[in-house]
Amino acid sequence: METPGNLFCVAAPSGAGKSSLVKALLELDSHLQVSVSHTTRAPRGQEVDGREYHFVDEASFMAMVAASEFFEHARVHGNLYGTSRKAIQQRLQAGADVVLEIDWQGALQIKKIFPHAVLIFILPPSWEELMQRLNRRGEDSADVIVQRMANARTEVAQARHFDYVIVNSLFETALFDLKTVVHSQRLKYAAQRRAKSQVFGALGLG
Ligand code: 5GP
């Protein structure tokens, strides 16, 4: 799929700071848009249907899978999550850059269908720091934290398949790194040719 917009997939184990980094990036960069995923998990706290996620039951989700409505989908921590094909294709074709906050399985599926996608993995600086962040955030019970730490080992092992890796030791530095990746991607020859096809055409650049 050749589109003028760029697609960025950001993955990380929970507690690495992915959501805060993506949120800060979106505030700084008006050309970037997020895609709201579908999930079968129940809403948490202040989450609103259609804002954080489209919350659906398993039967509706499976009907969307059967109708090929997802670009990618995966089971993560026992729940189903998926990125709607329509939502991102329209935006990329309209020239927007789209950022997906998804798990590593989804990111690897996307890379197969959309080789231009840029995969970014956020790493914690250490296992100890990850554990401390999960404890500090106070969202999860001790059992859930043990489970998240076990999952994190599997997830972190996937970082080798990603294009870029950012170690989130200091938030501001990690944010700068993320902005740099986005900006560098936009300046690549192939990305510029897709985004500025008229300029390239007029200059005789194929
Ligand atoms: P949470 O339930 O904590 O919001 O998200 C759990 C995990 O699912 C996170 O790693 C999140 O990035 C991932 N996730 C969210 N949306 C999607 C999606 O559309 N596809 C995939 N593959 N993972 C997703």
Side-chain angles (χ1 to χ4, degrees):
M1 192 176 34
E2 282 268 314
T3 62
N6 295 295
L7 182 58
F8 300 93
C9 301
V10 185
S14 88
K18 172 177 63 168
S19 302
S20 311
L21 283 168
V22 170
K23 188 167 174 278
L25 178 71
L26 287 163
E27 280 165 12
L28 292 169
D29 189 333
S30 59
H31 196 64
L32 267 181
Q33 297 185 5
V34 267
S35 161
V36 178
S37 297
H38 285 70
T39 183
T40 60
R41 90 150 159 73
R44 278 196 296 247
Q46 305 297 310
E47 288 179 338
V48 175
D49 185 37
R51 189 179 67 189
E52 281 79 12
Y53 286 104
H54 299 290
F55 295 100
V56 293
D57 60 22
E58 193 136 344
S60 316
F61 192 100
M62 293 317 292
M64 289 181 72
V65 172
S68 289
E69 287 184 35
F70 289 122
F71 208 20
E72 64 73 36
H73 65 278
R75 191 173 283 279
V76 189
H77 310 318
N79 294 303
L80 291 164
Y81 294 85
T83 309
S84 138
R85 191 184 292 279
K86 207 166 52 185
I88 54 176
Q89 267 175 357
Q90 279 168 355
R91 289 175 184 177
L92 292 171
Q93 267 150 11
D97 289 343
V98 176
V99 60
L100 303 179
E101 240 190 274
I102 58 178
D103 90 311
W104 63 270
Q105 305 169 79
L108 297 184
Q109 287 177 46
I110 295 245
K111 189 78 170 179
K112 282 199 192 132
I113 317 165
F114 195 91
H116 301 308
V118 179
L119 306 194
I120 307 163
F121 202 96
I122 313 288
L123 284 176
S126 66
W127 295 120
E128 292 72 24
E129 177 63 24
L130 184 66
M131 174 79 118
Q132 280 172 18
R133 287 184 191 171
L134 287 172
N135 277 314
R136 246 181 285 148
R137 128 177 142 166
E139 266 179 16
D140 308 304
S141 64
D143 285 1
V144 172
I145 291 183
V146 169
Q147 188 59 52
R148 289 198 187 272
M149 287 301 293
N151 291 340
R153 294 195 181 259
T154 316
E155 290 159 354
V156 161
Q158 305 301 324
R160 74 190 79 233
H161 303 300
F162 280 59
D163 300 308
Y164 295 94
V165 173
I166 295 173
V167 178
N168 184 12
S169 186
L170 203 65
F171 184 83
E172 291 306 328
T173 310
L175 180 58
F176 177 78
D177 291 345
L178 192 54
K179 279 192 300 188
T180 306
V181 169
V182 169
H183 196 59
S184 314
Q185 168 62 21
R186 287 180 178 149
L187 297 180
K188 279 188 177 162
Y189 185 92
Q192 290 277 49
R193 184 170 51 78
R194 287 193 302 274
K196 301 194 169 73
S197 55
Q198 286 187 343
V199 174
F200 273 54
L203 294 171
L205 291 167

